[in-house]
Amino acid sequence: MAKKIKKALKKLKKQQRRYEAAMAAGGTPIGGGMGANAARGQGLLGGLSGLLPSRRSEQFLVGLLVGAAAAYVLSDEELRGKIVKSGLKLYGNLAGGLAEMKEQMADLQAELEAEQAGAL
């Protein structure tokens, strides 16, 4: 059991050294996140291709389902109203949160200016 733990720790330390070396070089570690996809020329959303079906018949069925869902949502007035109300509530909450954050930043800036004026 102790040998397995030592081996696992050794492997972890080796991975950590490789990660630190890659980060120090200003790159991204191999096999990690979106940076690896961008490095292979796939762009920011290149990893999404694995989620989508590859055969034409599968793509058609997915498109058919998405289209049917969109048609249902757009034709149902009550559901459309609920979606619009939810969107407006979300927008209001985001706008309120942004306004609160601006106010806090203004307060912090005023405190810093007061400290600097008092120190002079």
Side-chain angles (χ1 to χ4, degrees), residues 81-118:
K82 287 180 183 179
I83 290 173
V84 169
K85 284 181 185 178
S86 297
L88 289 174
K89 282 182 185 179
L90 178 64
Y91 175 76
N93 289 337
L94 288 174
L98 186 61
E100 180 67 28
M101 189 184 324
K102 284 182 181 178
E103 185 178 328
Q104 289 177 357
M105 294 304 251
D107 290 345
L108 288 172
Q109 187 176 8
E111 287 179 19
L112 286 174
E113 290 175 358
E115 284 181 13
Q116 288 176 352

Side-chain angles (χ1 to χ4, degrees), residues 61-76 79-80 83:
L61 290 175
V62 169
L64 185 67
L65 289 174
V66 169
Y72 173 72
V73 168
L74 292 174
S75 66
D76 188 1
L79 182 59
R80 197 176 25 186
I83 290 173

Side-chain angles (χ1 to χ4, degrees), residues 1-11:
M1 186 72 153
K3 288 182 182 180
K4 288 183 180 181
I5 292 174
K6 285 182 183 180
K7 190 175 181 180
L9 284 174
K10 189 175 180 180
K11 186 176 179 181

